[in-house]
Every structure is written in C-alpha cells, then in structure tokens.
Amino acid sequence: MRRVGDAVSRARVAWGGSRSSPRPSHTPWKDPSVRRSVALFRAFRREQDDPEACYTLLARDAVDQVEAYDGPVAGRTVLDVGGGGGYFTAEFRRRGANAFLFEPDVAELGEEPPEAAVVADGYLLPLRDGVADVTFSSNVLEHVADPETFLSELARVTRPGGLIYVSFTNWLSPWGGHEWAPWHYLGAERARARYARRAGRPAKHTLGENLFAVHIGPTLRQVRARDDVTVVSARSRYWPFLAEAVVKAPGIREFATWNLLLILRRCPT
C-alpha cells in the first residue's frame, strides 16, 4: 500500500503537473442549461455506436463541474475511482492534473489499459490516507453492494479540505435499469428478459450482482450524517434547470433527479 502511495507522490514531482501540456477543453455551455442536457442526451443515445465521442464529451463536462466547485485541477493529484476505460482520467490529465485511474474490472480497461491505471477495488484502495486533492467517482455507486463503505474509502484517501465528486444513477430514474431501462419499472427480471430478446445477447447488468437499487433520499441522509465530509452541493447532474431544487422535493426527486451529483468536502481530521 505504501509503495503505491509513494508512486503517486513521486509522479507529482516527476510530471511537474502532467505528461501533456494543459490546454483549454471546456464545454461551450452553461451548467445547468437545456442546451447542455440536450447535447449530453444525444451523446448518450450514440453511446453503443460511438463510446469514444460519448464519454469524451461526458468527461469534459464532468471536469468542468469539478473546476467550477474547486478551481483548476492543474498540478493537483486526482484519483478516478471506478473510471473504466479512463476517459475521465485522460481529461484530468489533459488539464494538467496528476490523475490516476483505479478500476477493479480488468475487462473495463480494454486491451490497452490507460496510462496511470491501477487494478484495485474501491473498497480498499492501495493508498495512504489523504493523498488526493480531488477524488472522483462517476456512476459507480449504483454498482457497489455497500455504498457507505465505498464512500468511507473515498473520504479516507482525500486530504482534509479536498474535494470528493460522486455521481450515480438512482434506481427510479428513467435510466435506473441501465441498458434495460426504462423497462426496469416493470421489474428487473422482465426488463432483462426483454433486453435479451431484442439485443440477442444477455444484459450486462444483473440486479443484486453488479447493479443495485440506490435511492436519493436514503443516500442523502447517510451522507449528511457522516462526520468526515460536509455536503457542498447535492444536485441533479443532468437536469436542465433548478438542478439543486429538484433534489429537495421528496418523492419527485426519485424520478426527476435522473442522476444525483454529490460534491463533498473532506473535513479536517
């Protein structure tokens, strides 16, 4: 564990910020806005055919959000936990961050794993306490069986005062069933069977195995009860207007939030 943590520290010095020169790559819209939501929705619709374009755009948007809450990432250590193919890590590094990817599933890394990728479980990251300025986790929480332990690990590796970015697709969102949405409203097994019939292959996700029914209300209560983080913002990641207001409406938020974004600040130890 110490060796990986030391490697992060050495890389900060050796890279002097990043292996690639920082360059502007911000998205040309306001957040939130109808224009932004439409652009992201169109990208999601092409995700199966053109994942490169979809996730590159999503990564640019997500790093814009991080910088909006915490300033430029250049020269800072960023941990991308559960980042799959490394699109978010790549965007952080393009903007000058010392970014590292931690992904438990080797298959998600692809045939050519991204640079600075580590195969590691988000429940037990091979890092010292407080090594990250920013800890980032996009659409991972709904794929872990124990969200509280996962969040505790994100907090542990973040320095006091550092930022934690966590987003997830809540179960009652129109996209809660992932590839078999919105038919998950009729039951997970029925939705999976329908997907298999239409796609000619089994669904990637199985409820209770690699996809879990995570809800907005309980998650907010759990996070607000923690003493190691404070909540900077709880908002919809993609909603085109009143992104924080929709999360404050019990019941409605479970459907209308679409995807909950939590911006957390690590408390002083």
Side-chain angles (χ1 to χ4, degrees), residues 18 26 39 50 57 67 78 84-85 105 112 150 178 180 191 239 241 268:
S18 175
H26 300 275
D50 191 359
L57 181 64
E67 293 192 325
V78 178
D105 189 347
E112 297 183 9
F150 182 80
H178 287 49
W180 27 275
W239 191 254
F241 49 83

Side-chain angles (χ1 to χ4, degrees), residues 121-227:
D121 196 312
Y123 288 133
L124 188 62
L125 295 169
L127 294 166
R128 299 192 308 270
D129 294 355
V131 297
D133 298 302
V134 177
T135 303
F136 178 91
S137 177
S138 173
N139 295 335
V140 177
L141 203 65
E142 72 266 34
H143 299 294
V144 300
D146 186 354
E148 287 193 80
T149 298
F150 182 80
L151 289 171
S152 293
E153 188 67 349
L154 299 187
R156 181 188 69 80
V157 298
T158 307
R159 67 167 176 78
L163 190 82
I164 304 170
Y165 177 113
V166 178
S167 80
F168 69 92
T169 304
N170 51 299
W171 177 244
L172 292 178
S173 160
W175 295 277
H178 287 49
E179 74 270 26
W180 27 275
W183 304 100
H184 65 295
Y185 289 131
L186 302 179
E189 289 307 312
R190 181 179 296 181
R192 291 186 76 251
R194 180 185 183 278
Y195 177 87
R197 288 195 305 270
R198 295 178 65 88
R201 62 180 182 273
K204 177 180 178 180
H205 297 98
T206 301
L207 189 66
E209 294 183 10
N210 56 2
L211 180 64
F212 299 88
V214 185
H215 302 282
I216 302 292
T219 301
L220 288 175
R221 288 191 290 272
Q222 290 172 5
V223 172
R224 288 168 176 162
R226 301 183 67 95
D227 60 5

Side-chain angles (χ1 to χ4, degrees), residues 32-49:
S33 68
V34 172
R35 181 187 177 194
R36 169 181 175 269
S37 295
V38 169
L40 292 174
F41 179 69
R42 287 176 174 169
F44 282 132
R45 291 189 63 184
R46 300 193 302 270
E47 186 262 345
Q48 293 294 319
D49 300 324

